[in-house]
Amino acid sequence: MLSAFFFILAAVAAGLWWFERRQRLAAQAAHQAELTALKAAHAAAQEDQHQRLEALLDSMVEGLVVLDPVGRITLSNRAAENLFGFSRLMIGGTLLEAVRNHEVAALATRLTKEPVILDHELRLEGATHRILQINGAALTDTSGGRAGAVLVFHDLTRLRELEGARQDFVANVSHELRTPLSLIKSAAETLIDGAKADPVALERLLAIIDRHADRLTLLIDDLLLLAKLDSGRIALNLQPCGARTAVQQALDDLAPKAATRAMRLENLLPDGLLVLADPDRLSQVLSNLVDNGIKYGRACGVVSVSGRALGNGRVELCVRDDGPGIPAEAKNRVFERFYRVDKARSREQGGTGLGLAIVKHVVLAHGGEVRVESEVGQGAAFYFTMPAAPEAR
Ligand code: ADP
């Protein structure tokens, strides 16, 4: 009897132990699962945060590099990688390894002594010439200890180029304005000094004043138009224009000038070719190109204008002459303001040096493209595209 009682007691105790163990194991497993889920959520949150930080840094225009206290890269953005041509694989390497520039590496070292570096300008020479402005700051941890440094690189190359172009432009404009002004001034002085008493000299000097005043007006008109085109302030009055009619108008206007050089003007445009353009601007492009053909083409030669639909919603027009052409090295430059292949000839012809720059900007404003094809001695052909008017598509 007693043994049966002990047996039951032992069985109950074993049952309780087993039950309690199962409970404990289940609780442990649940705890483990909760821990794993928490860890996974934490890792996902960290990854999410990292990706957000990376996207944020990559959206910056400035290059950014973060260094640890021993000068190894811990973080960088796409702009910095593009600037120096290193890949994200370089993270963990030294700054010098990544940027291969001793001056930049020295700046990082300087940050260990000086906590902030402002506006340090650096020129990167080599295949990709760059002008960089660098700002840097030493990083500290919560206890004030050194935690590395952050360097920010601003690419000033384009800005400096634009500044240079602006200075050149101002110098060119001043020069171009001064030339006719000084001729007007000296003609006026000669008249004041007594030449007005001589009817022949009077007529000659007044003609000089008149011619150069016209030249100044032309120059100022061209400059104002270019400024408008540059700032995008020009409103285009787009409408379907018959290309053949527009060309004929330009040729008729310039026929007297062509006659002075015994040149023939040819309109080879087919009927029915329509472009979507501002008629005044289109006529300006055609006039400038035909005028150049007359000025620089061969005396007794031909300036012809042709055109065709390209089939991609564009129309291409071409103004061709049979003059001396344009040397290869000048072909890309003739559309620059004040660039002239032959300065003396351009001035003698009354050119402002802005005609092709205006052509280029007007064509670009219409969403078109302009180019020149030329071989020395074989004439020049200026091509430009304009959108086709809907009817012609
Ligand atoms: P410009 O007022 O000097 O004519 P443009 O901007 O119209 O100014 O032209 C720039 C330069 O390109 C000219 O000075 C000339 O040297 C060259 N050029 C333009 N058109 C022709 C052409 N059809 N044949 C040869 N050279 C040309």
Side-chain angles (χ1 to χ4, degrees):
M1 182 72 187
L2 203 60
S3 63
F5 172 73
F6 278 119
F7 176 75
I8 289 168
L9 204 63
V12 168
L16 279 174
W17 174 85
W18 182 81
F19 180 72
E20 194 245 349
R21 183 167 181 275
R22 237 184 62 159
Q23 292 277 77
R24 209 175 54 239
L25 284 177
Q28 259 174 9
H31 184 65
Q32 192 61 42
E34 203 178 325
L35 215 63
T36 312
L38 267 174
K39 268 190 197 164
H42 182 65
Q46 255 191 339
E47 178 59 25
D48 195 42
Q49 214 171 14
H50 183 75
Q51 273 181 8
R52 250 191 267 178
L53 178 68
E54 222 170 59
L56 193 77
L57 295 182
D58 283 345
S59 70
M60 283 173 64
V61 179
E62 292 85 8
L64 176 131
V65 173
V66 180
L67 304 172
D68 69 8
V70 290
R72 279 190 307 254
I73 300 176
T74 56
L75 196 66
S76 65
N77 71 351
R78 195 169 295 146
E81 291 152 15
N82 291 343
L83 216 47
F84 294 103
F86 67 89
S87 83
R88 210 146 280 192
L89 297 174
M90 294 298 288
I91 288 190
T94 67
L95 187 62
L96 184 60
E97 280 164 356
V99 304
R100 297 181 302 280
N101 183 293
H102 285 278
E103 210 175 329
V104 175
L107 273 179
T109 315
R110 211 172 101 190
L111 281 173
T112 57
K113 299 175 196 108
E114 241 175 273
V116 176
I117 291 172
L118 288 175
D119 298 346
H120 180 93
E121 204 164 302
L122 169 79
R123 276 169 189 276
L124 291 183
E125 302 299 347
T128 51
H129 164 78
R130 299 242 153 260
I131 301 169
L132 301 181
Q133 182 195 46
I134 308 178
N135 295 325
L139 300 174
T140 48
D141 57 24
T142 43
S143 55
R146 280 181 52 209
V150 57
L151 289 165
V152 179
F153 304 90
H154 310 257
D155 190 348
L156 301 184
T157 319
R158 181 87 191 108
L159 195 70
R160 290 282 185 271
E161 273 170 12
L162 287 175
E163 274 171 13
R166 190 181 53 81
Q167 280 164 4
D168 287 353
F169 182 67
V170 171
N172 275 323
V173 170
S174 315
H175 178 76
E176 296 294 332
L177 291 174
R178 200 179 301 126
T179 313
L181 259 183
S182 63
L183 290 166
I184 290 173
K185 175 95 178 114
S186 79
E189 275 171 3
T190 317
L191 283 173
I192 291 165
D193 287 349
K196 61 178 179 290
D198 172 356
V200 179
L202 178 66
E203 198 172 325
R204 186 177 56 81
L205 292 166
L206 285 178
I208 291 179
I209 291 175
D210 187 47
R211 192 164 68 246
H212 291 287
D214 281 351
R215 189 166 150 65
L216 273 180
T217 311
L218 202 66
L219 186 64
I220 289 164
D221 285 350
D222 278 1
L223 282 169
L224 288 175
L225 175 61
L226 262 179
K228 268 198 205 162
L229 285 163
D230 259 355
S231 66
R233 272 189 291 122
I234 201 131
L236 293 177
N237 171 23
L238 293 179
Q239 49 188 270
C241 305
R244 186 174 165 81
T245 311
V247 167
Q248 196 53 49
Q249 264 164 17
L251 298 188
D252 289 347
D253 290 347
L254 288 162
K257 188 166 182 176
T260 62
R261 302 198 69 218
M263 292 177 87
R264 195 152 46 87
L265 302 179
E266 278 183 356
N267 185 350
L268 306 178
L269 264 296
D271 281 325
L273 196 60
L274 289 176
V275 291
L276 187 65
D278 181 319
D280 292 341
R281 301 294 162 219
L282 173 63
S283 115
Q284 187 156 31
V285 168
L286 288 165
S287 297
N288 285 7
L289 293 175
V290 174
D291 186 51
N292 277 353
I294 298 170
K295 285 191 301 191
Y296 305 110
R298 185 173 59 85
C300 308
V302 183
V303 177
S304 64
V305 190
S306 55
R308 63 192 175 115
L310 291 182
N312 56 356
R314 320 238 118 219
V315 167
E316 182 181 70
L317 298 180
C318 171
V319 179
R320 183 185 299 275
D321 65 68
D322 54 359
I326 298 173
E329 68 280 6
K331 274 197 280 191
N332 284 334
R333 301 205 56 195
V334 286
F335 295 99
E336 287 173 21
R337 284 147 215 227
F338 299 119
Y339 180 85
R340 288 139 163 149
V341 181
D342 180 344
K343 280 200 177 61
R345 177 145 182 77
S346 161
R347 295 233 167 81
E348 170 199 308
Q349 297 287 331
T352 61
L354 297 173
L356 288 179
I358 290 175
V359 165
K360 177 177 155 182
H361 280 84
V362 170
V363 170
L364 288 180
H366 282 82
E369 285 167 9
V370 62
R371 72 193 154 91
V372 58
E373 281 181 13
S374 179
E375 296 285 332
V376 175
Q378 310 271 309
F382 286 85
Y383 291 86
F384 67 95
T385 56
M386 291 250 161
E391 290 90 326
R393 282 181 185 167

